[in-house]
Amino acid sequence: MYILEKVKPADLSRIQVKKQDKIIELTGSRFDPAKAFEVIKKETKDFKEQNEKAKEADALFAELLKQNGIKVQPHQGGEKAEQNRVRIREQERARAIQILELEMQLAA
């Protein structure tokens, strides 16, 4: 089950995304929560199919929703959800380090 499945489209418009400049620099475009929601919904066939990348994006969306004060019913037990949040934060840090390493290699 995906957390995004329970999100209302109106809630997506309330999401404030920080560091859009960095996102544009790294990806070439702004992050649009509504567009990302539609992509995930399409890739999972209306949240019916299991997809590892979609699950990761779903967990990241859950963090964004939480940061913006948007409540959704959790789909996992508290301890497991916390473990997933920690794992996602670790992955984010690892990606940031990889990006920095690539930038340093390009600068050299």
Side-chain angles (χ1 to χ4, degrees), residues 49-87:
E49 288 186 3
Q50 298 298 319
N51 179 318
E52 197 59 38
K53 289 286 185 187
K55 284 205 170 277
E56 186 177 334
D58 184 64
L60 291 170
F61 251 109
E63 285 295 313
L64 265 178
L65 294 170
K66 182 179 174 183
Q67 289 174 0
N68 285 274
I70 301 169
K71 303 275 187 214
V72 244
Q73 279 298 97
H75 67 282
Q76 299 176 339
E79 186 176 317
K80 186 165 183 163
E82 181 60 28
Q83 289 173 348
N84 283 339
R85 280 191 286 275
V86 169
R87 181 182 53 81

Side-chain angles (χ1 to χ4, degrees), residues 9-107:
D11 289 339
L12 295 173
S13 65
R14 293 178 23 214
I15 294 175
Q16 299 284 323
V17 180
K18 298 177 183 175
K19 300 183 182 179
Q20 282 283 14
D21 293 339
K22 188 69 171 174
I23 293 170
I24 292 170
E25 179 184 321
L26 295 173
T27 65
S29 63
R30 295 178 63 83
F31 176 72
D32 179 7
K35 192 177 195 180
F37 173 84
E38 289 302 321
V39 169
I40 294 168
K41 184 176 179 181
K42 180 182 173 190
E43 290 296 317
T44 60
K45 302 201 181 358
D46 289 329
F47 304 109
K48 291 179 177 67
E49 288 186 3
Q50 298 298 319
N51 179 318
E52 197 59 38
K53 289 286 185 187
K55 284 205 170 277
E56 186 177 334
D58 184 64
L60 291 170
F61 251 109
E63 285 295 313
L64 265 178
L65 294 170
K66 182 179 174 183
Q67 289 174 0
N68 285 274
I70 301 169
K71 303 275 187 214
V72 244
Q73 279 298 97
H75 67 282
Q76 299 176 339
E79 186 176 317
K80 186 165 183 163
E82 181 60 28
Q83 289 173 348
N84 283 339
R85 280 191 286 275
V86 169
R87 181 182 53 81
I88 288 168
R89 284 188 201 117
E90 289 172 353
Q91 290 173 345
E92 288 173 345
R93 287 185 197 112
R95 286 188 184 120
I97 290 169
Q98 288 174 337
I99 290 169
L100 287 173
E101 288 174 347
L102 289 172
E103 288 175 350
M104 289 173 51
Q105 286 176 357
L106 289 173

